Amino acid sequence: MRIVTGFFRNSRHLALVALLLGSTFMATPAQAEPLPLAPLTKLRLTVVQFVASTGDYKRWDALGGDMDVGPDGTLTVPTLGSIDVVGMSADQLGAEIGKRLQAKLGLLDAPDATVQVLAYPPIYVVGSVSSPGQYAFQPGMTVVQAMALAGGERNAEMTSGLSQTIKLQADLDSFSADILRSRARLARLQAEYGKAKEITFPSTLSASDPLVAEIMGQEKMIFQAHVNELDRQQTSLIQLADLYNAEIDALAQKGAALDEQIALAQQQVDSMIGLVNSGSATVSRLNEVQRALSDLRSERLDVVVATMTAKQNLNSSQRDLARIQDEQQSNTAGLLQQEQAGLDKLVLNQNATARMLGQSLEADHSITLARAARTSLVYAILREKDGKATSVNATEGSTLLPGDLVRVTMQVQLPTADGDVPVAANSP
């Protein structure tokens, strides 16, 4: 950053200070030596010019603003074009822009150009670290600080084998328990589908095992609850059907009684017609007998309609009874298929896990050997210089530059009778 001295000598300098403080300004940490600008550095350029007629400074926003150093190390400035900034500091670049503007525009005095670094190119950490990747660069950053950002040394090589063995054993135990539950559930579904009175569990389920006994007890409770629910629905529908049958019988008896009354009423009508014809009875009397016969026939028709309704309701209740029985069988059959498929999948997973566990246990001696091993870290910095990537040996205290790549290599030394012998080096 450009440092201006003696600003407070006169009003001109005071005006320049006020203008610079009024602009968006981000300070960077103080460095013993300014960092050279690297490709992809984000910059902010501010250009101001003293106006003699007003005695004040005017900022040239058209020339300034936020800009990036290109991958080839050049910066494109309005009016000036491309400037090669490789090896320059921010202060040096500001001075160079001011000189070029003075020459380009034919100014008496060079304008004040201030270059501010907004963001440096990131650094990269790879190799034996917990979280390899890209991290923001800060001036003065060292290798050990980059290691801290990357999560420190990766120790998965020493513990992954043991962790995998523990995980596989836990998975195998889980599969075994799930298989027990699945087999018990399958036995219960088979009993429900076969309308058995109780569950017949396979011989592979031993009630002497507390876990198996608990699972079997749970399935028995579920089985009994399902049986009770189905019985309750069936009993309700059967009782309803009995009521409809009783109603139909009562209507049949009432219909038979009405048929007898209708036959007697018909005889009275026939007899009354003969009496009326002979003059022994009046027509009004005949009308009364005929109305009585008509009422009986109407009541008989009502009995017929009621009987038909009762029979329809009886058929509906019988269909409902058949439906719940069919649904129970259909649902149970679907659950049986799903459970059998799930059991088959569990058995396959159990077998695969058992094989992997066996292989992991065979490698336990390697894990034990790794625990006794001694490790050390070796650092190298891959840095671009003069357009070429060069590798530099480094230590934890080595200072980094923007865009550096830090390679961390773990060297393993296994104990032997003749002393430690390096046998592996893990690098990216």
Side-chain angles (χ1 to χ4, degrees), residues 333-350:
L335 293 174
L336 266 172
Q337 293 178 348
Q338 294 179 8
E339 194 63 39
Q340 185 61 57
L343 177 60
D344 294 341
K345 185 176 180 180
L346 285 172
V347 172
L348 289 175
N349 290 336
Q350 183 190 45

Side-chain angles (χ1 to χ4, degrees), residues 227-239:
V227 169
N228 292 341
E229 175 64 16
L230 182 62
D231 287 345
R232 183 188 64 78
Q233 293 179 357
Q234 289 178 334
T235 300
S236 177
L237 290 173
I238 291 173
Q239 290 176 349

Side-chain angles (χ1 to χ4, degrees), residues 22 42-43 51 84 139 165 174 185 193 213 304 330 333 339 396 420 424:
K42 296 182 180 296
L43 303 175
V51 181
D84 187 0
T165 300
S174 176
R185 193 178 303 116
Y193 184 75
V304 172
S330 177
E339 194 63 39
E396 291 182 347
D420 293 338

Side-chain angles (χ1 to χ4, degrees), residues 286-360:
L286 175 61
N287 291 338
E288 290 178 0
V289 176
Q290 288 177 335
R291 280 197 299 272
L293 176 60
S294 178
D295 291 340
L296 288 172
R297 286 175 175 172
S298 177
E299 187 176 356
R300 182 67 179 90
L301 183 60
D302 291 340
V303 170
V304 172
V305 173
T307 302
M308 293 176 61
T309 302
K311 289 181 177 180
Q312 182 179 3
N313 292 334
L314 175 61
N315 291 334
S316 178
S317 66
Q318 291 173 339
R319 286 196 303 270
D320 290 341
L321 178 60
R323 177 180 55 79
I324 64 171
Q325 292 174 341
D326 292 342
E327 287 180 352
Q328 189 271 343
Q329 288 293 97
S330 177
N331 293 338
T332 304
L335 293 174
L336 266 172
Q337 293 178 348
Q338 294 179 8
E339 194 63 39
Q340 185 61 57
L343 177 60
D344 294 341
K345 185 176 180 180
L346 285 172
V347 172
L348 289 175
N349 290 336
Q350 183 190 45
N351 294 336
T353 303
R355 288 194 297 269
M356 289 189 292
L357 179 61
Q359 295 174 357
S360 180

